[in-house]
Amino acid sequence: MATRPGADADRAPGRLAALLASPGARLVGKRLLMAVPILLGVSVLTFWVLNLIPGNAAQQLLGPEATPEQVRTLEQQLGLDQPGYVRYLGWLGSAVTGDLGTSLVSGQPVTSQIGERLAVSGELVGLAFVVSLGLAIPVALLAAYKPGRMFDRVSMLVSITGLSVANYVLALLLVLLFAVELALFPAIGFVPLSESVAGNLHSMALPVAAIAFPLFCFYTRFLRGDLVDQLQGEDYVTTARAKGIGPGQVLLRHAFRNSSFGLITVVGLNLGTLIGGTVIVEQIFALPGIGQLMLQAINTRDFVVVQACVLVFAIVAVLANLLADLLYAVLDPRIRYGSR
């Protein structure tokens, strides 16, 4: 049957309206609206805390030998003599349009500085997530398959040990062992992907390991414990076994599916801790990421850069939790119609 020319174009607005009215779109819209006051609160709190820190960029730039008159003159040039609420409202008005201000120290746009470093931090966080989850899920499944056996005990021992070591301490130990003693990986430095894929992975191996190993230990212990609880105390597991379903299928198709909800929640909530660890690890390994940029800005009292970095971290955390909500809806479509 022939369709009238332009019929698809006529139906396009209806399809768009149906898409926007779908449960998934409503879920995304609700979460984005909730993110607005969260980001606003983060920006206000960050600005207030930064203004409590003694000193400013003018004093840092001129040094301890500068006279009070020189400091006041530079403060006027940088706009630091204005009241705090005036400076915040001016920054907020520009941030809404995508302009995060200009660095007080370098004079460069903050947006371009963050854009240059975002790829490094993004790669570090992404690889750490992939490695930690890629190892934690199979290890937890194998440990929960036969709890109390040797593999389960060893995996739990490794997990407890890894959770007892801070990532910055682990980073220093990795440098001492693999960079200094064995000389297998570089202690500092970064090779961009555009130059060499192998060189990039080689330079990122130790930083990724320093972040991924504690995450792997945490995810393994959490998922293994939840799987064991599902297998030993849930009626649906007993019913599945009564139907003759094998233990492997019960573990993968039933227990793991339900435990994945808890794992997604933990991963989403754990992102804040991951970002905090990234800041320190980037400094230790001299990676040109956002974390290193923020620490340098704190040392120079470049509060415009610090404010922008904190806002970017907050946006990433909000988006991670939004992604977790969407994954809930994918795993269980009934969630889309709930009141969450």
Side-chain angles (χ1 to χ4, degrees):
M1 180 177 179
T3 58
R4 179 174 56 85
D8 291 340
D10 294 339
R11 287 194 295 265
R15 293 174 180 172
L16 180 60
L19 177 62
L20 294 177
S22 64
R26 290 201 301 270
L27 178 63
V28 172
K30 185 185 297 184
R31 289 295 182 265
L32 291 179
L33 287 176
M34 293 174 58
V36 173
I38 293 175
L39 296 178
L40 183 63
V42 168
S43 66
V44 171
L45 182 61
T46 304
F47 190 87
W48 177 68
V49 171
L50 291 176
N51 279 272
L52 294 178
I53 300 177
N56 56 35
Q59 294 174 337
Q60 288 293 119
L61 289 173
L62 294 176
E65 303 298 328
T67 63
E69 291 77 12
Q70 291 174 325
V71 174
R72 281 196 296 270
T73 300
L74 186 55
E75 285 177 346
Q76 292 175 355
Q77 295 175 357
L78 297 176
L80 299 176
D81 60 326
Q82 299 177 353
Y85 73 91
V86 174
R87 288 185 284 120
Y88 173 76
L89 291 177
W91 174 86
L92 181 62
S94 300
V96 171
T97 63
D99 181 10
L100 297 178
T102 302
S103 171
L104 300 176
V105 176
S106 66
Q108 298 179 353
V110 178
T111 305
S112 62
Q113 287 185 299
I114 292 179
E116 294 171 357
R117 296 169 176 261
L118 188 60
V120 179
S121 298
E123 181 185 359
L124 180 60
V125 172
L127 288 176
F129 263 126
V130 170
V131 171
S132 60
L133 286 174
L135 293 176
I137 291 175
V139 170
L141 288 171
L142 289 174
Y145 184 69
K146 292 183 178 180
R149 299 293 181 89
M150 181 61 66
F151 183 84
D152 181 33
R153 294 179 180 178
V154 172
S155 65
M156 288 302 98
L157 177 62
V158 173
S159 298
I160 294 174
T161 303
L163 291 173
S164 304
V165 181
N167 53 12
Y168 60 88
V169 175
L170 179 61
L172 296 176
L173 293 176
L174 291 174
V175 169
L176 180 62
L177 177 60
F178 293 101
V180 177
E181 295 294 333
L182 300 179
L184 295 177
F185 299 98
I188 59 174
F190 174 74
V191 178
L193 273 171
S194 57
E195 293 185 10
S196 172
V197 176
N200 172 266
L201 296 178
H202 191 245
S203 65
M204 292 291 282
L206 294 184
V208 169
I211 296 177
F213 183 68
L215 286 178
F216 156 75
C217 296
F218 179 71
Y219 295 153
T220 299
R221 187 179 182 188
F222 173 84
L223 183 58
R224 179 264 178 198
D226 196 65
L227 286 170
V228 171
D229 290 341
Q230 296 278 340
L231 292 172
Q232 294 180 351
E234 295 295 335
D235 293 337
Y236 72 90
V237 173
T238 304
T239 302
R241 288 170 175 166
K243 292 180 179 180
I245 300 177
Q249 288 187 329
V250 171
L251 176 64
L252 291 174
R253 295 175 55 186
H254 297 278
F256 178 64
R257 182 181 179 85
N258 286 338
S259 296
S260 61
F261 286 96
L263 181 62
I264 291 173
T265 302
V266 169
V267 170
L269 296 176
N270 194 241
L271 187 62
T273 305
L274 175 61
I275 291 176
T278 302
V279 172
I280 301 175
V281 168
E282 285 182 359
Q283 187 70 13
I284 292 175
F285 292 97
L287 297 179
I290 298 180
Q292 187 191 63
L293 175 65
M294 188 173 72
L295 285 181
Q296 292 172 351
I298 292 174
N299 292 331
T300 58
R301 301 298 191 272
D302 194 348
F303 294 153
V304 176
V305 175
V306 178
Q307 180 92 359
C309 291
V310 173
L311 181 63
V312 170
F313 289 151
I315 291 174
V316 172
V318 168
L319 292 178
N321 284 277
L322 174 60
L323 180 60
D325 287 336
L326 294 178
L327 288 176
Y328 290 147
V330 171
L331 291 174
D332 190 349
R334 294 173 296 177
I335 294 177
R336 301 176 191 174
Y337 301 93
S339 58
R340 299 179 70 254

